[in-house]
Amino acid sequence: MNFLSINEWLLSFMPAGAVSIAKMVFIALIYLTVFAVLGLYLVLLERKVAAWFQLRLGPNRVGYKGMFQTLADALKLVSKELTGTVKADKFLYNLAPYFVIITALMALAVFPFTKDLQAYDINIGLFFLIAISSIGVIGILLGGWSSNNKFALIGAMRSGVQTISYELSVGLSLLTMVILSGSLQLSEIIEVQKDGWLIVQGHIPAMIAFMIYMISGTAETNRAPFDMVEAESELGAGFHTEYSGMKFAYFFLAEFINMFIIAAIATTVFFGGWLSPFGMTESIPFLGLFWFLAKTFVLVFLMMWFRWTFPRLRVDQLLTLEWKYLLPINLVNLVLMAVIVWLNLTIQF
């Protein structure tokens, strides 16, 4: 966020002492609004994409071509009674959804949507995102364990195995690009890409890292074909079987926001973030937001394409893919990228 302009605007009608608090509250409200609207839109987009792939109409009744369907669903969930099992661990049961939703919201804060639209630009931005994303699984583990339900517990245990396994490949594929960019700071990673997107600069190892990242990111967000955590045919609804109303909505919303976060990291690290292709619109700064969102939603569509194309893997296939294939390929690719940077074999324009 451009703090200088916000400071000047707030100082125009507030005393200097209150500006610091007002600034934090104002930015938090903006991000909460973006979070809610983004979640509702992604759910609608998922349903439209699913309908398109399956030759159905999808939502088409509430509003113009069903555009208010997810808003109606949100109002329904807000009004539903919050029920749970009698023998659940009440404290942990109620705490779990907030782990998932707050970590997703914290991750959004460090993304540079444009050169001047970033709430918090820290020098370990990429490391922060990896660390925050690993905390979300605690909410899933707590939710499944505290529900006192065998299906929920199995779903939670699967989540722990799956998320921890695939985080290794996510981290190593991003580390491969850190070797190329020379920085963990997201704004600096984008600046480096003014000479060409990193997926072009790093050519073959960068493309391999991107493919591994997208597969692992899809698995980390517990989406099909890696949705062993909430496999309907086996576990009812998995870890959130015993949740209803807004507590269920928090888990559901966080899945879609996490999908956006995975796509936004890929946009930032591989595809130049808010930079336009070939510098076409660099003289028009506000178009940076358009380019960032356009690239991100293309990758979101790719993840949705995965979901409605491939059948669900068995749990042994899921772990075999990570430990026997993706992880060894990632380690070799990491060394290959280091050699390419050392020998200065990168491609720049």
Side-chain angles (χ1 to χ4, degrees), residues 53-70:
F53 273 90
Q54 298 170 349
L55 300 179
R56 298 185 288 106
L57 291 175
N60 64 346
R61 296 290 182 184
V62 186
Y64 177 69
K65 294 190 176 180
M67 65 183 297
F68 295 129
Q69 181 63 57
T70 48

Side-chain angles (χ1 to χ4, degrees), residues 45-95:
L45 181 63
E46 174 90 88
R47 294 173 70 174
K48 287 288 190 183
V49 169
W52 181 51
F53 273 90
Q54 298 170 349
L55 300 179
R56 298 185 288 106
L57 291 175
N60 64 346
R61 296 290 182 184
V62 186
Y64 177 69
K65 294 190 176 180
M67 65 183 297
F68 295 129
Q69 181 63 57
T70 48
L71 186 60
D73 292 343
L75 292 173
K76 178 191 74 174
L77 286 167
V78 168
S79 63
K80 286 182 85 71
E81 182 184 0
L82 298 174
T83 60
T85 52
V86 175
K87 293 186 178 180
D89 186 319
K90 296 295 184 187
F91 175 71
L92 295 179
Y93 175 84
N94 292 321
L95 181 66

Side-chain angles (χ1 to χ4, degrees), residues 167-216:
E167 268 178 2
L168 291 170
S169 283
V170 168
L172 285 172
S173 57
L174 293 176
L175 184 59
T176 304
M177 304 313 291
V178 169
I179 291 173
L180 181 59
S181 65
S183 176
L184 287 167
Q185 190 167 351
L186 296 177
S187 58
E188 283 190 14
I189 290 173
I190 292 177
E191 287 295 322
V192 167
Q193 297 180 74
K194 287 186 174 179
D195 296 325
W197 295 350
L198 288 185
I199 198 165
V200 177
Q201 289 188 37
H203 46 88
I204 294 171
M207 291 176 190
I208 293 171
F210 172 68
M211 288 188 285
I212 293 174
Y213 174 81
M214 289 305 295
I215 293 168
S216 304

Side-chain angles (χ1 to χ4, degrees), residues 41-336:
Y41 175 72
L42 286 170
V43 174
L44 180 64
L45 181 63
E46 174 90 88
R47 294 173 70 174
K48 287 288 190 183
V49 169
W52 181 51
F53 273 90
Q54 298 170 349
L55 300 179
R56 298 185 288 106
L57 291 175
N60 64 346
R61 296 290 182 184
V62 186
Y64 177 69
K65 294 190 176 180
M67 65 183 297
F68 295 129
Q69 181 63 57
T70 48
L71 186 60
D73 292 343
L75 292 173
K76 178 191 74 174
L77 286 167
V78 168
S79 63
K80 286 182 85 71
E81 182 184 0
L82 298 174
T83 60
T85 52
V86 175
K87 293 186 178 180
D89 186 319
K90 296 295 184 187
F91 175 71
L92 295 179
Y93 175 84
N94 292 321
L95 181 66
Y98 296 99
F99 264 103
V100 178
I101 207 83
I102 289 171
T103 53
L105 186 57
M106 289 174 69
L108 281 180
V110 297
F111 283 113
F113 294 102
T114 69
K115 191 171 185 177
D116 296 320
L117 185 61
Q118 185 178 12
Y120 198 40
D121 186 17
I122 52 178
N123 59 2
I124 54 165
L126 204 55
F127 177 75
F128 175 82
L129 284 171
I130 294 170
I132 282 293
S133 66
S134 66
I135 294 173
V137 71
I138 296 173
I140 295 173
L141 287 168
L142 287 180
W145 184 82
S146 64
S147 294
N148 194 34
N149 176 301
K150 289 184 176 64
F151 289 146
L153 180 60
I154 293 169
M157 293 300 104
R158 284 182 177 184
S159 174
V161 169
Q162 180 173 323
T163 306
I164 291 166
S165 297
Y166 279 88
E167 268 178 2
L168 291 170
S169 283
V170 168
L172 285 172
S173 57
L174 293 176
L175 184 59
T176 304
M177 304 313 291
V178 169
I179 291 173
L180 181 59
S181 65
S183 176
L184 287 167
Q185 190 167 351
L186 296 177
S187 58
E188 283 190 14
I189 290 173
I190 292 177
E191 287 295 322
V192 167
Q193 297 180 74
K194 287 186 174 179
D195 296 325
W197 295 350
L198 288 185
I199 198 165
V200 177
Q201 289 188 37
H203 46 88
I204 294 171
M207 291 176 190
I208 293 171
F210 172 68
M211 288 188 285
I212 293 174
Y213 174 81
M214 289 305 295
I215 293 168
S216 304
T218 304
E220 195 179 350
T221 52
N222 299 323
R223 289 180 57 81
F226 306 101
D227 59 337
M228 300 302 302
V229 177
E230 44 188 288
E232 308 89 13
S233 57
E234 304 165 22
L235 303 178
F239 67 93
H240 56 63
T241 299
E242 299 296 346
Y243 284 90
S244 67
M246 280 308 293
K247 288 178 185 174
F248 161 76
Y250 285 159
F251 283 117
F252 191 65
L253 184 64
E255 178 187 315
F256 284 89
I257 297 296
N258 285 332
M259 179 171 58
F260 179 85
I261 289 167
I262 291 292
I265 293 172
T267 296
T268 304
V269 174
F270 294 96
F271 295 104
W274 45 266
L275 295 173
S276 59
F278 309 108
M280 291 188 300
T281 59
E282 295 307 298
S283 58
I284 314 172
F286 66 86
L287 278 180
L289 181 60
F290 165 78
W291 288 114
F292 185 92
L293 293 178
K295 295 172 191 176
T296 303
F297 276 109
V298 167
L299 296 176
V300 166
F301 174 75
L302 182 64
M303 294 175 77
M304 291 179 178
W305 194 343
F306 288 168
R307 176 168 186 168
W308 300 106
T309 302
F310 299 112
R312 181 184 298 131
L313 299 178
R314 296 195 313 265
V315 69
D316 62 309
Q317 293 171 327
L318 182 140
L319 293 175
T320 297
L321 176 64
E322 165 60 14
W323 291 100
K324 290 187 178 179
Y325 296 99
L326 295 184
L327 191 59
I329 292 169
N330 230 330
L331 291 169
V332 172
N333 195 49
L334 187 67
V335 175
L336 180 60

